[in-house]
Amino acid sequence: MKFTVIGITDASSPFFPPEVMEVIHTGDVFSGGKRHHEIVSPLLPEGAKWIDITVPLDAVFEQYRHHGADVVVFASGDPLFFGFANTIRRKMPEAEIVLYPSFNSLQMLAHRLVMPYHDMRVVSLTGRPWPLFDQALIERAGKIGVLTDHEHTPSAIARRMLDYGYDYYKMHVGAHLGNPVREQIVTMSLGEATQTDFDHPNCLILSAEKPLPARPFGIPDHLFDLLDGREKMITKMPVRLLTLQALDLPERHVFWDIGFCTGSISIEARMQFPHLHVVAFEIRPECEQLMRQNSRRFGEPGIEVYMGDFLETDIDALPRPDAVFIGGHGGRLKEIMAKVHKVLQPGGCIVTNSVSSPVVKQLTDRPGSMDLFCEACSELGLAQENTTHIQLNDFNPINILKCRK
């Protein structure tokens, strides 16, 4: 099959060059969204067949295959810019595609603002979740172009940014771009945007008003809110950074933090490796508020939190991890490792920290974390790697233990 994909704007009377008009006049089967049909219907030949692009898309492509003829598709802007041409390539890789693109909406908004956009980070939130947008914020992108939808509206985006302290951006919103009657361009603060409703379709550009703060390499311990103010209930910064190094996080995709307490490991991982999908677990209910406070304080959105006993938590629907840190286990390290082992991706690793205290060892017959870790590795067939030993000031020595599936 052959698809001719024509990009259009929101203009009610679009202009097409003669070559495109010839494609339209000689076409039989046309397709696009309902809004596209309203715009181009006066141009279609008499008796033309129109196929609405609606979900589920599988049904739309079945209609294409049923007709078997060449299809002329109208799409917004540049059909390769988060557009329908990409969907055709994915659904029907054997099909021939001819493109007649227009400017995409973010280009048009930049043109209206006379704003250079070669340095703009582009994120689509149209039918997509927050992670890539969050990553752009954490990485301190100075200019971010965002495609929106009815859920991820400019006001919702502004609220999320302010919740996590990203208040140093201006928001530029363009609605109905290309429509001479309805087009609207607005520039405002994020606070103003939270109180404003915008017509759809719209897009926006975020531009930093001042130099962006650098991301620290290692968050000072005293900046975290602590559990009952107890300094010992946090993984100290040097240990934290060595632990993250042991997890090989630059190469990982899904990171689980089991027993997050103050959230220091999850938050540091999110800050240093914003591409990660971070999932955090904790049994103590008071830690949920700690995670919320600390993640907002350090501007780290997108950490997925599950409260309750990890061993009783349903993890079947969660993304399978390729890196796991066990920060708290209550003496049940082997059981937790066995549960993690079932979902850990091949090549994935598990890291935990064991405190070496000779006094405690003399006073109890219970196996320590290192013993439990070694036993679990042997029973589960996990390959142990070299242990890192570290001691900070007068604190007990710590062993950073690691194994790989």
Side-chain angles (χ1 to χ4, degrees), residues 141-348:
K143 191 181 296 177
I144 309 172
V146 186
L147 302 177
T148 66
D149 63 14
H150 288 278
E151 178 183 352
H152 304 92
T153 62
S155 58
I157 291 167
R159 283 194 296 273
R160 187 175 184 85
M161 294 176 71
L162 291 176
D163 279 349
Y164 288 91
Y166 293 94
D167 56 356
Y168 32 79
Y169 287 89
K170 273 282 187 186
M171 180 178 283
H172 314 271
V173 182
H176 298 289
L177 293 168
N179 187 316
V181 177
R182 303 183 66 187
E183 180 174 290
Q184 183 183 20
I185 310 292
V186 181
T187 295
M188 59 181 60
S189 69
L190 296 181
E192 291 170 329
T194 64
Q195 305 300 316
T196 307
D197 293 325
F198 299 90
D199 287 345
H200 283 274
N202 61 57
C203 65
L204 61 91
I205 296 175
L206 298 162
S207 59
E209 295 186 275
K210 57 185 179 181
L212 300 176
R215 285 185 288 155
F217 183 69
I219 305 171
D221 299 334
H222 70 273
L223 296 181
F224 285 93
D225 283 341
L226 303 175
L227 181 62
D228 300 326
R230 296 153 62 190
E231 293 183 8
K232 292 185 177 181
M233 299 303 290
I234 184 174
T235 304
K236 299 296 185 290
M237 182 175 67
V239 179
R240 192 161 65 239
L241 295 178
L242 281 173
T243 298
L244 297 183
Q245 184 274 333
L247 287 158
D248 299 328
L249 294 182
E251 306 299 324
R252 306 297 180 179
H253 298 91
V254 180
F255 168 54
W256 285 11
D257 179 8
I258 301 173
F260 64 74
C261 192
T262 62
S264 65
I265 288 284
S266 290
I267 290 167
E268 190 84 65
R270 186 81 172 122
M271 178 177 287
Q272 305 304 336
F273 309 100
H275 69 282
L276 283 176
H277 183 158
V278 180
V279 184
F281 305 86
E282 176 57 57
I283 193 170
R284 289 165 290 198
E286 61 269 34
C287 292
E288 184 174 15
Q289 180 64 16
L290 277 180
M291 173 67 89
R292 184 178 296 111
Q293 291 168 190
N294 286 325
S295 61
R296 279 165 169 73
R297 173 172 298 168
F298 300 112
E300 306 307 317
I303 297 173
E304 199 172 322
V305 173
Y306 292 89
M307 302 304 299
D309 188 338
F310 176 77
L311 291 174
E312 297 177 5
T313 300
D314 184 0
I315 61 173
D316 290 343
L318 299 182
R320 293 180 60 189
D322 50 10
V324 177
F325 173 67
I326 303 175
H329 55 80
R332 299 183 296 173
L333 180 59
K334 290 174 64 175
E335 293 90 335
I336 291 173
M337 289 179 65
K339 184 169 183 175
V340 167
H341 179 260
K342 293 178 181 177
V343 295
L344 186 66
Q345 296 188 44

Side-chain angles (χ1 to χ4, degrees), residues 13-16 21 24-25 30 39-46 74:
S13 300
F15 168 80
F16 295 117
M21 290 302 300
I24 295 172
H25 290 155
F30 298 85
I39 292 171
V40 302
S41 57
L43 304 177
L44 302 184
E46 188 175 347
F74 293 96

